[in-house]
């Protein structure tokens, strides 16, 4: 889903893709990650969100991503990020990109 000029992701955007283990949404125009956008992606281990122009991330945007090991947010315009954004990401590698 790279370079599709996606502007927005709705809550529960991927609810019917529960077996997805990797997702790349890099090089789009996503400016905000809303709460529960990635809900039901129980097997997701890699999430690439580079080069989007992301400004804000809602606190529960990454909720329920228990298997997520790699989260790449490089080359965005994120204004603020807090440790609360990562609560529940039990498998996330400590060497975040």
């Amino acid at each position: 889903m790279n370079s599709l000029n996606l502007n927005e992701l709705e809550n529960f955007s991927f609810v019917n893709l529960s077996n997805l283990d990797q997702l790349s949404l890099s090089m789009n125009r996503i400016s905000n990650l809303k709460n529960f956008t990635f809900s039901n992606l129980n097997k997701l281990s890699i999430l690439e969100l580079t080069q989007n122009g992301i400004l804000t991330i809602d606190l529960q945007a990454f909720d329920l991503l228990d298997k997520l090991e790699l989260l790449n947010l490089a080359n965005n315009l994120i204004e603020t990020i807090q440790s609360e954004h990562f609560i529940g990401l039990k498998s996330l590698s400590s060497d975040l990109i």
Side-chain angles (χ1 to χ4, degrees):
M1 297 184 129
N2 290 341
S3 301
L4 293 178
N5 290 322
L6 296 174
N7 293 318
E8 187 174 0
L9 297 173
E10 295 297 326
N11 301 8
F12 307 101
S13 289
F14 305 98
V15 72
N16 294 319
L17 299 172
S18 60
N19 289 321
L20 196 65
D21 66 349
Q22 297 182 21
L23 178 59
S24 180
L25 295 167
S26 297
M27 296 182 286
N28 283 288
R29 297 180 185 175
I30 302 164
S31 62
N32 180 338
L33 296 178
K34 297 179 181 179
N35 288 330
F36 311 110
T37 298
F38 304 103
S39 287
N40 204 40
L41 293 178
N42 304 324
K43 297 180 181 177
L44 193 68
S45 63
I46 298 174
L47 180 55
E48 297 276 350
L49 293 163
T50 62
Q51 299 179 10
N52 271 293
I54 295 171
L55 294 167
T56 59
I57 302 173
D58 292 352
L59 279 179
Q60 296 176 313
F62 304 121
D63 270 16
L64 307 174
L65 295 179
D66 298 339
K67 303 275 193 255
L68 193 67
E69 296 174 11
L70 178 83
L71 173 60
N72 192 339
L73 294 166
N75 298 314
N76 282 290
L77 305 170
I78 299 168
E79 296 170 346
T80 304
I81 198 150
Q82 303 169 355
S83 60
E84 289 85 2
H85 284 101
F86 307 107
I87 290 176
L89 299 181
K90 302 169 190 160
S91 301
L92 194 63
S93 175
S94 61
D95 55 332
L96 291 176
I97 297 174

